[in-house]
Amino acid sequence: MRVPELRSRLQEGLVIPAHPLALTAARELSERRQRALSRYYLAAGAGGLAVGVHSTQFAIHNQKSGLLKPVLELAAEEARAFQEKTGRSAILVAGVIGATRQALREAEMARELGYDSALVSLGGLTDLSDRALLEHLEAVSERLPVFGFYLQPAVGGRQLDYRFWRGFTEIENVAAIKIAPFDRYATLDVVRAVAASGRDAEIALYTGNDDSIFWDLLTHYPFPSPAGVSTLRIRGGLLGQWAVWTKTAVSDLRAIHAAVRGPEIPAELAARGVRLTNANAAIFDAGNGFRGCIPGIHEVLRRQGLLEGVWCLDPNETLSPGQAEEIERACTEFPELTDDDFVAEHLNEWLRG
């Protein structure tokens, strides 16, 4: 996908699930269920797939695992098959991590596999200055358009201030920023930096704040820009929360887009956002410092039949005590957030072949 088309599509505002990793009980890749997940997201109306990101488990980037390339390949194959069948294309975002040599190698691999953008995690690069981080990102951007990533410190990210993001907006080949610090002050730093750059028509803002999805998307953000005061919006989301109940997420984003064009925000949308945050607290294990966030996503998908179990590559990464019960509570209290009927209707079809 050419960069102008990529930017245009992202500015529309899309649901981009952070793709999980489907494993067997032996903690080996389950190709059948990995494909089924991609088919589910695409059939649900997702505008893209983010693969090799936090929800896919960063451990797949370890060369010894041998998993990164096959996992990226499976999603790309399913996206191509979906486009051939429906005529609808999906943006492919590859997670890229590590020091510059590794990040460049991964970005090149993703480009060769047909990926459109690199979501670059800066986790683990704690010894680098902000200037060195920006040079790292610029180097990756020469291989693939960069999707900036503000990952919350609780799961391995680092604090990045306004000056950093203002510098980031100066990188030419930037397509978007996933804002996921789980912090309103830090979120506003990113939006303010994009406004000040005057590049808000080129750099799409996406929420990764699973604790405030509706608020991020419903809010108008007025900030000084070279053209005066510009009002920006966070257009879509690249989210672990949207790796579950994706059909409902697509419907919700459509309703949000309609609401922000109207004279006022319906109270029910704000209330729905509260319910989603409450459910996300259970799924992401917020009460235990997010230790069970990936197994929590797996548990919802297991309940629906898309996954066989909640296994992660790290045997110690499991549901926290009481987390399964909290997820059960959320599903029972908020059935309108789920897409269980949609999954049940198509599950056998997605698991075939």
Side-chain angles (χ1 to χ4, degrees), residues 138-278:
E138 186 155 21
V140 175
S141 78
E142 294 172 2
R143 305 293 174 94
L144 267 180
V146 164
F147 212 118
F149 187 13
Y150 198 166
L151 177 65
Q152 63 159 321
V155 292
R158 61 181 276 178
Q159 208 74 31
L160 299 165
D161 63 15
Y162 167 81
R163 289 183 297 275
F164 172 85
W165 290 108
R166 184 66 185 85
F168 179 79
T169 64
E170 296 298 314
I171 299 173
E172 176 59 31
N173 206 21
V174 168
I177 302 172
K178 169 178 171 165
I179 311 172
F182 283 47
D183 180 311
R184 300 307 295 164
Y185 299 116
T187 293
L188 293 181
D189 279 343
V190 179
V191 181
R192 184 163 68 98
V194 173
S197 75
R199 297 185 66 194
D200 52 289
E202 298 176 57
I203 302 174
L205 295 173
Y206 271 58
T207 181
N209 291 319
D210 303 80
D211 63 341
S212 60
I213 297 169
F214 275 62
W215 291 272
D216 282 358
L217 294 167
L218 287 167
T219 302
H220 289 82
Y221 300 87
F223 280 111
S225 77
V229 174
S230 292
T231 300
L232 280 65
R233 281 192 52 220
I234 296 176
R235 300 288 177 174
L238 196 165
L239 292 154
Q241 175 60 47
W242 282 354
V244 303
W245 306 337
T246 310
K247 181 71 170 176
T248 306
V250 170
S251 176
D252 284 342
L253 184 58
R254 190 177 300 120
I256 289 168
H257 285 168
V260 296
R261 291 193 294 266
E264 60 184 28
I265 302 301
E268 170 52 26
L269 269 184
R272 191 173 177 86
V274 172
R275 294 193 288 273
L276 184 60
T277 296
N278 188 273

